[in-house]
Amino acid sequence: MLCGTARLGGHPVALAVMDFRFLGGSLGCAVGELITRTAERALADGIPLVLVTASGGARMQEGALSLMQMATVSQALAGLREAGLLTVSVVTDPTYGGVAASFATNTDVVLAESGARLGFAGPRVIRQVTGAALPDGFQTAEYLQRHGQVDLVVPRHALRGRLTALLAAADAGRRPPAVGPAPRPAPPPSAAPARDPWETVRTARHPGRPTTLDYLETAFDGFVELHGDRLGADCPAIVGGVARLDGRPVMVIGHQKGHTTAELVARNFGMASPAGHRKALRLMRLAARLRLPVVTLVDTPGADPGVTAEQQGQAAAIAENILALSVLPTPVVAVVTGEGGSGGALALAVADRVLMLEHAVYSVISPEGCAAILWPDSSAAPQAARALRLTGADLCRLGVVDELVPEPRPAAHGDPAAAAELLGRAVAANLAPLLAVPPATLVRRRRQRFRRFGAARSVDPSTVSVSVPAGPTAATTPRGAAGPSRAVGPGSATDATPRGAAGPSGAVGPDGGAAASGAAAPVRAADASRRRPAPGPGCDRPEVA
């Protein structure tokens, strides 16, 4: 072992480096003691810890005491995690057994050198015990990244740069926010002619529209992508990692589609699997430990609806993300950049500030899905789009979105560089005032923000009526009953419900969300005044009866 402190890229760090040349780098009592003392020194000095591993596993000659070192070192790392200090392991070739099953993989970030092998059981043991033929590249760093086990595969010559970026982010997270001039806000959207919602849907889906990776290349700097859910997969529909925005390190997480058919297929059209949501969750929690703000970029038609996704717990994965964001003690700014589809979008959008690009859409269901439920065929999708109130202007009026981010004309795909500049300025301007807010206050305000949506209030049933669209049997429908153009699913909201209630031609979807078009049901003026929160900057929210 070689242990000590150093500076890497100007940042102080504690180092523990294993040497495979002595007894195969095996983990014995002396090795465990040295690594533990190094971790304790990192804790005492308040600096990150970097471990470089090379080992065949626990030292058999020392029996159970060598086995105990896996727990001893892990406990020391737990102390660093509790203190919000970054831990990084650099896996070199080979790393097996008790080292792989403890401090090589339970750090905040796991980097692996190109070609390095990592595993609990070695290939010889696996063949002897199972008799199975091993796949090509089995247990190599590249294989493990594809299966979600390591954050990044890095050639040795590039390690310094990657480590420096991670250490810089961790260092900035521990410093109080710098007081400087407020970022220049993005200009408000120009008064463009009102567009048909279906046309906005088509614009939001344009294949040339910038993706998350495009924005990370232009609006942000120094992006270091982190891969995998550490449970077995690396979903390509979610990308995330550390980047800088106006010089400030942030954790950026977003849906990734693509521009060509091949890219879209490879990224599953931006539809995240449970592994994608769990990868996002891991990065959110890492950001909170390192006190980094979180920026999410939402662009998905919805979560992966496949059989495999359901078998792997899609609903639970989305639910866990929503819950985690509700209590995350660090600023969160979400931007709907293209499609914001249902729970797959909300899994990244429970935020302190929710922004939306001018020609993006955000909805409980796609227009095609809504049309399939309410009409016999998908040709009614344009009508459904108008009913769903899914445009930025609609959502600003509802209070769901805090600010619209303008796009260059005719839309973001026409000038991606200008779109990236506008997005970066808007995110920086909305993030700046959140940085100095105490974590407990952030969480309380975030909960209050979402609590007001659909908040219950007393309504006299005699003041509420629902009009059915003109037709052969047009009439006033009794409260709670389904009329000719009204579909009410089990557990749906009643007509008195302020959010999620279906108005004329409204539809309550399978998850209780609703769409409405035409004239809204009349309510008392006092209730209307409580219907919507106060307008935020960048949104024009006229009162809607």
Side-chain angles (χ1 to χ4, degrees), residues 89-92 110-116 118 140-142 144 150-155 159:
S89 67
V90 178
V91 176
T92 67
V110 178
L111 306 185
E113 283 194 331
S114 302
L118 169 70
T140 63
E142 292 77 8
L144 292 169
V150 301
D151 287 283
L152 202 59
V153 177
V154 188
L159 275 172

Side-chain angles (χ1 to χ4, degrees), residues 3-22:
C3 301
T5 59
R7 298 187 76 85
L8 183 57
H11 304 284
V13 63
L15 286 169
V17 183
M18 305 187 79
D19 190 341
F20 192 80
R21 294 173 296 180
F22 182 76

Side-chain angles (χ1 to χ4, degrees), residues 389 394-400 449-457 492-502 508 512-515 528 530-533 541 544:
R389 296 182 181 175
D394 290 327
L395 293 164
C396 271
R397 284 191 288 271
L398 290 171
V400 171
R449 182 187 190 280
F450 285 86
R451 175 65 179 88
R452 69 183 184 234
F453 299 138
R457 63 182 185 277
S492 62
T494 66
D495 299 325
T497 304
R499 200 78 78 237
V508 178
R530 293 195 295 269
R531 191 181 194 90
R532 316 209 190 284
R541 299 183 193 163
V544 179

Side-chain angles (χ1 to χ4, degrees), residues 239-464:
V239 297
V242 177
R244 294 190 307 278
L245 178 64
D246 275 1
R248 173 81 192 186
V250 294
M251 184 70 76
V252 184
I253 306 164
H255 299 98
Q256 177 62 23
K257 287 182 176 178
H259 299 296
T260 66
T261 300
E263 289 173 344
L264 288 165
V265 171
R267 299 282 183 175
N268 198 29
F269 297 87
M271 296 186 295
S273 67
H277 293 121
R278 290 170 184 141
K279 172 167 65 172
L281 178 64
R282 186 173 72 84
L283 297 183
M284 293 170 193
R285 288 175 171 165
L286 175 59
R289 288 200 299 276
L290 301 181
R291 305 177 197 175
L292 297 179
V294 174
V295 177
T296 64
L297 303 180
V298 176
D299 186 13
T300 179
D304 185 345
V307 172
T308 301
E310 291 298 318
Q311 291 171 339
Q312 294 173 353
Q314 182 69 287
I318 293 171
E320 186 64 25
N321 276 28
I322 293 172
L323 183 62
L325 281 168
S326 299
V327 299
L328 202 70
T330 196
V332 184
V333 175
V335 188
V336 182
T337 62
E339 288 184 277
S342 195
L346 188 62
L348 295 188
V350 179
D352 302 296
R353 296 284 293 174
V354 178
L355 315 183
M356 192 167 170
L357 264 61
E358 186 179 357
H359 301 307
V361 294
Y362 192 10
S363 177
V364 67
I365 192 172
S366 70
E368 292 86 350
C370 179
I373 293 171
L374 295 183
W375 289 276
D377 57 65
S378 61
S379 64
Q383 184 178 349
R386 289 187 287 273
L388 283 168
R389 296 182 181 175
L390 44 65
T391 68
D394 290 327
L395 293 164
C396 271
R397 284 191 288 271
L398 290 171
V400 171
V401 169
D402 298 296
E403 181 176 320
L404 290 184
V405 181
E407 298 185 28
R409 296 290 174 253
H413 61 267
D415 191 345
E421 181 183 356
L422 291 166
L423 179 140
R425 284 162 54 185
V427 172
N430 279 271
L431 184 59
L434 299 173
L435 297 174
V437 179
T441 305
L442 271 176
V443 172
R444 186 179 71 253
R445 290 178 180 174
R446 193 181 306 143
R447 289 180 177 180
Q448 289 171 344
R449 182 187 190 280
F450 285 86
R451 175 65 179 88
R452 69 183 184 234
F453 299 138
R457 63 182 185 277
S458 298
V459 176
D460 182 353
S462 65
T463 67
V464 179

Side-chain angles (χ1 to χ4, degrees), residues 91-190:
V91 176
T92 67
D93 188 43
T95 297
Y96 279 105
V99 172
S102 58
F103 56 88
T105 54
N106 64 14
T107 53
D108 293 316
V109 178
V110 178
L111 306 185
E113 283 194 331
S114 302
R117 290 165 293 169
L118 169 70
F120 182 60
R124 184 185 304 173
V125 173
I126 295 172
R127 290 193 191 96
Q128 288 177 349
V129 172
T130 68
L134 303 181
D136 292 340
F138 181 67
Q139 292 185 328
T140 63
E142 292 77 8
Y143 178 93
L144 292 169
Q145 181 176 286
R146 290 195 300 273
H147 289 81
Q149 302 301 313
V150 301
D151 287 283
L152 202 59
V153 177
V154 188
R156 181 165 293 189
H157 67 81
L159 275 172
R160 175 181 288 271
R162 295 292 190 274
L163 286 169
T164 298
L166 293 170
L167 293 172
D171 185 43
R174 294 184 64 80
R175 294 197 306 267
V179 178
R184 187 160 50 104
S190 58

